[in-house]
Amino acid sequence: MTTQKQQQIILEPQQAQILRLKNSGMMINHIGSPLMNEERDEEMTKSALAAFRAKEEEIERRKIEVREKVQVQLGRVEEETKRLAEIREELEALSDPMRKEVANIRKKIDFINRDLKPLGLTCQKKALEAFNEKNREKGQLVAKLVELVAESEKLRLKKLEELCKNIDSLR
């Protein structure tokens, strides 16, 4: 998996070392027999190859270690991603639990308001009684709406706090 440039970087110092070893052997034994020089050259070549192989094995071992560490980190990232996705789903699902009830009460208030307008314009006695009755009913519904909204806000805030704790536990 090493590129040509990486191999060249590794080989250059080793080749220089081999040449130095060969040259030093020739200088020392330039008087000696050519057979001894060949044997020494062969030994030095074997030694240099063994050093090269050892370095290659070390590089490969380190690559494997780094690859394993990356895999461990990827596993952790996947787990955290799943946890964050679950928290996001909970957050998106966090809607007003009393939304339907609030909508129904608002509709009733709107209907009553429509009924109040014509009754308020005609100030006959019956109309005035009906007007007052509708106003009382409206007041009760408004009070109920305020109560439901407050309760809903408490529930949603509690759920948001739980989600925040989940997110904080990720850190």
Side-chain angles (χ1 to χ4, degrees), residues 84-101:
L84 286 172
E86 290 172 1
I87 290 171
R88 183 183 335 125
E89 287 175 11
E90 286 183 40
L91 184 60
E92 288 173 357
L94 180 68
S95 63
D96 191 352
M98 298 178 190
R99 181 180 53 214
K100 289 181 182 177
E101 234 178 302

Side-chain angles (χ1 to χ4, degrees), residues 117-156:
K117 285 182 183 179
L119 292 175
L121 295 175
T122 59
C123 291
Q124 297 173 357
K125 191 173 186 176
K126 288 184 181 180
L128 188 56
E129 290 175 7
F131 179 81
N132 289 335
E133 177 62 32
K134 292 287 181 177
N135 255 343
R136 264 186 266 120
E137 190 177 334
K138 178 183 172 183
Q140 291 172 348
L141 288 172
V142 167
K144 174 92 173 167
L145 178 63
V146 168
E147 182 181 313
L148 285 173
V149 168
E151 186 177 327
S152 172
E153 287 175 358
K154 286 179 187 175
L155 290 172
R156 289 171 39 201

